[in-house]
Amino acid sequence: MIETMRSEQDGTLFFLHTKSATLSLLVSAEGFLLLPYWGARIKTSDISYIVKELPFVSYMASTEGRKNFQLGNLPQPYPSFGNSDLRSPAFLFTYEDGSRTTDLSYRGYTIHKGKTKLDGLPFIRPDSSAQTLELQLFDRLKEISVVISMTVYEDYDAITQSVRAENQGKTQTLQIEKLCSASIDLLDSDFEFLHLAGAWGREFQIKRQKLEQGILSIGSAGGASGHEHNPFAALASPGTDETHGQVYAMNLVYSGNFLASAEVGMHRNTRFQIGLQPFDFSWRLEPGECFQSPEAVLVYSGKGLEGMSNSFHRLYQDCLIPLRFAQKERPILLNSWEAHYYKFCGEDLIRLARQATQVGAELFVLDDGWFGKRMDESSSVGDWIANEEKLGGSLSSLIEKINREGISFGLWAEPEMVSPDSDLYRAHPEWAIQVQGRRMETSREEYVLDLSNPDVCKYIIDSISAILSENPVTYVKWDMNRNFTNLGSTYLPSCRQKEQAHRYMLGLYHVLDVLTNRFPHVLFEGCAGGGGRFDPGMLYYTPQMWVSDDTDAVERLTIQYGASLVYPSIAVECHISETPNHQVGRRESMAARAATAMWGNLGLELNFDRMAGEEINCLMDEIAFYKKVRPVIQVGRL
Ligand code: DGJ
């Protein structure tokens, strides 16, 4: 619920109430937007005293005409650069005359039911009670409008926020150097910074660090949200545990480069920000053009981490994951990767599918190695045409045989990459991300395709559409296996090169939007070498994700627990794999492996020919048990 009231001394107060939290904003008499409160739910009342009573600070500039009005000490929801506030601004624009100061003053607001779709970007769909507050800010000198949109999800105890900048001038271009999705000032600094850090094969490790004066930040610059840091951060009061403590959390609905930071200022307040990574980013905004930031999800919990997780889980299951899959039980799949890697023939696959059906699996997934002339990682990515010689016939005849075993069929692809040794690269070397004249680096013997180029997006849409329209494929594992290096585009003009990483993401979202709408029955699973792009942006298109390439049952406990802080169980794909484990060599009983893999969508990564009969019997019991508890695990409350 959104309420407004007039403050006795100041302008309007806004109250964004969720079931158990309130975020309040105030328009000061000077026309600045302030943020007096975010925390446990309070009544709508004149709380402007909170910002009035802040002490005057010597050595800090005051706003012209108001001796005691010191922005540098005031809590704000979207601070500018160029005034007395020397903390990190929420945004930064460079103008044609070289100046970087923007002076936003409040112009008005609207409150409306529901929410406007974010153009070209994933977003949290409005529920029936959603209400949106739009705050309009304006810089008169440069004629720039900044609109902050905040949607209240009352039942979920969550607020979403995004920002739109518009160049309303007639002649001048500006460069957006930074545009946070959310920036929150808290009048306290006694917090731990909690985040999810890791690496390939070791994603989602929970880290907690006490904040001290200075800036603590996490982020990514390799093109995806990344293995290293999930686009999630929280400020937790000391001693916060599962059920106690105050938590202020932010999660970015975005899959590319991001930055989240907490800055403790000299007066022991904290500025908490999340948004696009400003490093190596710049966006040229011509007269009349708009730029839309990704959306951030803001959750306050007064009941520790559990309260926070429950908000994210319920919100994502109901309002983020595609509706047609949100409550739909996910099939128990068998993935061929750890069973055969690249070395298989059609007969091996049919046999594996038959065995998978016998133990109770419902979907057979053919992973890497089925296309072009691919026998190892050295070639063919980009040539999305079945290797009929290897499969022993066409893809459709293989699928028919596998379906006859009583199991549906899914396929792996890595559409954003290209092998140097591929027909695609030979035909279009200019489509790879590159800086002309510089040496190119391969990773996993691949280059990254430049999805800022619409022709590249069209190629991906057409080639994947051809497979999906010609074959009864019910599932696609959408993989992505390397970081961006040598960032440069042969398509973008020189003045727009720093837009490439974000334009790539807009291109990818467009591709996923077209494909998931064109093939609504296909269940897409996101993957980036495991959990390298496991974020709400991808979850908007791919209802489930491969959380890690590490399938060891013990290692998976911390990985899956970390993921569960933010993401619902139905989003997390967990497989029972072989013992000894292929990544770490640990031996585990079937019972232990199954118990871990049951905390999400159960799947298998097994070669039955290497298993004893007793182990297979035990597996069958575990699968039968999972089928009974599956509705609770996948759509229940964790
Ligand atoms: C990386 C994925 O995370 C694995 O599960 C597997 O699909 C390989 N790619 C295939 O190349």
Side-chain angles (χ1 to χ4, degrees), residues 120-122 324 384 413-416 449-465 468 476 478 503-519 524 533 538 540-542:
L121 285 164
R324 56 191 182 279
W384 301 112
E414 194 184 6
E416 300 160 62
L449 287 171
D450 178 11
L451 271 72
S452 72
N453 180 343
D455 290 342
V456 173
C457 295
K458 184 174 179 313
Y459 172 80
I460 296 176
I461 291 171
D462 290 349
S463 51
I464 301 299
S465 291
L468 297 183
V476 169
W478 187 283
R503 283 190 184 273
Y504 177 102
M505 229 12 97
L506 297 177
L508 174 64
Y509 290 147
H510 167 68
V511 167
L512 290 170
D513 192 50
V514 172
L515 290 173
T516 53
N517 283 309
R518 194 175 281 174
F519 303 98
F524 281 77
R533 203 167 55 187
M538 286 306 286
Y540 180 78
Y541 304 98
T542 64

Side-chain angles (χ1 to χ4, degrees), residues 335 337 342 367-368 374 412 444 477 479 481 527-530 546 549 605:
N335 181 298
W337 182 239
Y342 298 104
D367 207 277
D368 200 347
R374 192 146 165 105
W412 175 97
R444 230 174 163 250
K477 180 171 170 189
D479 203 354
N481 281 303
C527 174
W546 185 225
D549 276 351
E605 202 90 21

Side-chain angles (χ1 to χ4, degrees), residues 317-613:
Q317 187 140 15
D318 294 350
C319 306
L320 177 64
I321 293 175
L323 261 186
R324 56 191 182 279
F325 289 107
Q327 308 287 330
K328 193 173 170 190
E329 280 181 27
R330 304 297 164 77
I332 298 172
L333 66 83
L334 176 130
N335 181 298
S336 67
W337 182 239
E338 289 193 15
H340 291 303
Y341 295 104
Y342 298 104
K343 295 193 175 27
F344 54 81
C345 63
E347 281 308 315
D348 294 331
L349 300 175
I350 295 163
R351 178 175 165 76
L352 187 60
R354 183 177 311 130
Q355 292 165 318
T357 316
Q358 283 162 0
V359 297
E362 299 150 332
L363 168 68
F364 177 83
V365 177
L366 172 52
D367 207 277
D368 200 347
W370 57 270
F371 51 91
K373 54 176 173 103
R374 192 146 165 105
M375 302 306 268
D376 52 36
E377 65 182 36
S378 67
S379 81
S380 304
V381 172
D383 299 341
W384 301 112
I385 302 204
N387 182 341
E388 298 197 353
E389 206 181 316
K390 187 170 177 182
L391 299 183
S394 67
L395 182 61
S396 52
S397 71
L398 174 75
I399 299 177
E400 203 187 312
K401 287 179 200 147
I402 285 180
N403 286 163
R404 248 189 266 135
E405 298 294 337
I407 193 163
S408 56
F409 183 88
L411 204 56
W412 175 97
E414 194 184 6
E416 300 160 62
M417 303 294 144
V418 63
S419 305
D421 180 6
S422 66
D423 292 342
L424 177 63
Y425 186 68
R426 280 182 283 274
H428 287 290
E430 78 285 7
W431 280 4
I433 287 181
Q434 62 193 275
V435 181
Q436 282 183 320
R438 300 261 175 215
R439 72 169 166 235
M440 289 177 68
E441 287 163 311
T442 53
S443 171
R444 230 174 163 250
E445 305 206 34
E446 292 169 352
Y447 297 140
V448 186
L449 287 171
D450 178 11
L451 271 72
S452 72
N453 180 343
D455 290 342
V456 173
C457 295
K458 184 174 179 313
Y459 172 80
I460 296 176
I461 291 171
D462 290 349
S463 51
I464 301 299
S465 291
I467 298 165
L468 297 183
S469 47
E470 285 159 22
N471 298 286
V473 172
T474 61
Y475 160 107
V476 169
K477 180 171 170 189
W478 187 283
D479 203 354
M480 187 269 192
N481 281 303
R482 63 156 291 180
N483 287 329
F484 297 0
T485 56
N486 313 101
L487 205 61
S489 170
T490 60
Y491 169 75
L492 294 172
S494 54
C495 62
R496 291 195 180 272
Q497 289 288 317
K498 280 187 165 188
E499 298 175 11
Q500 189 182 13
H502 183 55
R503 283 190 184 273
Y504 177 102
M505 229 12 97
L506 297 177
L508 174 64
Y509 290 147
H510 167 68
V511 167
L512 290 170
D513 192 50
V514 172
L515 290 173
T516 53
N517 283 309
R518 194 175 281 174
F519 303 98
H521 64 285
V522 175
L523 171 64
F524 281 77
E525 179 172 321
C527 174
R533 203 167 55 187
F534 195 124
D535 55 61
M538 286 306 286
L539 212 41
Y540 180 78
Y541 304 98
T542 64
Q544 61 188 45
M545 282 181 281
W546 185 225
V547 67
S548 181
D549 276 351
D550 186 343
T551 59
D552 173 70
V554 175
E555 301 256 312
R556 273 292 189 116
L557 288 173
T558 47
I559 295 170
Q560 293 171 199
Y561 174 57
S564 83
L565 234 52
V566 186
Y567 303 101
S569 306
I570 198 166
V572 185
E573 190 67 14
C574 311
H575 293 180
I576 299 174
S577 63
E578 216 164 296
T579 196
N581 176 266
H582 289 200
Q583 291 79 40
V584 302
R586 194 196 319 264
R587 290 178 189 276
E588 284 296 341
S589 68
M590 176 54 71
R593 282 176 281 154
T596 299
M598 282 191 201
W599 284 97
N601 300 335
L602 179 77
L604 314 175
E605 202 90 21
L606 295 167
N607 184 327
F608 301 94
D609 293 341
R610 299 195 288 251
M611 290 167 72

Side-chain angles (χ1 to χ4, degrees), residues 43-330:
K43 289 205 177 91
T44 295
S45 63
D46 191 350
I47 56 164
S48 57
Y49 66 89
I50 294 176
V51 288
K52 294 280 154 213
E53 286 176 4
L54 289 174
F56 174 75
V57 180
S58 184
Y59 210 77
M60 187 180 274
S62 299
T63 298
E64 203 176 278
R66 275 294 301 276
K67 192 162 176 292
N68 292 347
F69 192 83
Q70 299 180 306
L71 277 172
N73 200 25
L74 283 165
Q76 301 158 72
Y78 214 65
S80 311
F81 174 76
N83 55 39
S84 56
D85 187 351
L86 303 179
R87 296 167 290 179
S88 306
F91 67 98
L92 183 63
F93 302 154
T94 301
Y95 300 100
E96 272 184 14
D97 60 6
S99 68
R100 283 98 52 223
T101 292
T102 303
D103 189 5
L104 292 180
S105 46
Y106 173 76
R107 265 227 303 213
Y109 75 93
T110 59
I111 294 175
H112 61 88
K113 207 173 152 10
K115 177 181 194 176
T116 314
K117 209 171 176 296
L118 262 64
D119 213 17
L121 285 164
F123 71 112
I124 309 291
R125 295 184 300 271
D127 69 331
S128 59
S129 73
Q131 262 186 309
T132 300
L133 168 67
E134 284 204 347
L135 295 157
Q136 294 128 19
L137 308 171
F138 194 65
D139 180 288
R140 281 196 200 88
L141 187 65
K142 298 293 183 187
E143 297 180 285
I144 306 301
S145 131
V146 170
V147 177
I148 303 174
S149 300
M150 301 176 88
T151 303
V152 177
Y153 293 80
E154 197 166 341
D155 284 348
Y156 298 90
D157 265 328
I159 293 171
T160 60
Q161 181 176 323
S162 70
V163 175
R164 198 172 67 246
E166 187 179 347
N167 183 352
Q168 294 183 348
K170 299 272 175 302
T171 53
Q172 299 214 6
T173 296
L174 69 100
Q175 290 292 142
I176 300 176
E177 317 285 1
K178 177 178 181 181
L179 192 77
C180 279
S181 298
S183 176
I184 295 280
D185 283 350
L186 297 166
L187 290 168
D188 191 1
S189 64
D190 199 8
F191 294 116
E192 286 177 345
F193 188 71
L194 190 147
H195 60 107
L196 298 165
W200 173 82
R202 183 169 40 85
E203 297 85 343
F204 287 110
Q205 307 296 307
I206 299 174
K207 303 285 174 197
R208 295 171 80 143
Q209 283 156 272
K210 187 173 161 25
L211 287 185
E212 298 287 355
Q213 193 165 330
I215 302 181
L216 213 161
S217 71
I218 55 160
S220 64
S225 47
H227 293 95
E228 195 170 357
H229 296 292
N230 199 259
F232 158 84
L235 303 183
S237 56
T240 292
D241 61 18
E242 282 288 340
T243 48
H244 300 92
Q246 289 193 298
V247 186
Y248 300 86
M250 293 200 201
N251 194 198
L252 194 64
V253 187
Y254 190 60
S255 316
N257 296 340
F258 78 97
L259 184 73
S261 63
E263 175 176 8
V264 175
M266 59 183 143
H267 302 297
R268 300 199 195 111
N269 44 38
T270 307
R271 177 159 289 171
F272 188 24
Q273 300 186 328
I274 200 162
L276 290 172
Q277 168 67 272
F279 169 71
D280 200 37
F281 165 81
S282 180
W283 190 279
R284 189 178 163 89
L285 206 62
E286 305 281 359
E289 282 184 352
C290 272
F291 181 86
Q292 173 65 57
S293 84
E295 181 168 85
V297 181
L298 277 55
V299 168
Y300 167 80
S301 162
K303 292 189 177 154
L305 299 176
E306 187 178 287
M308 174 198 76
S309 302
N310 278 178
S311 287
F312 282 123
H313 293 174
R314 293 195 310 117
L315 185 71
Y316 291 174
Q317 187 140 15
D318 294 350
C319 306
L320 177 64
I321 293 175
L323 261 186
R324 56 191 182 279
F325 289 107
Q327 308 287 330
K328 193 173 170 190
E329 280 181 27
R330 304 297 164 77

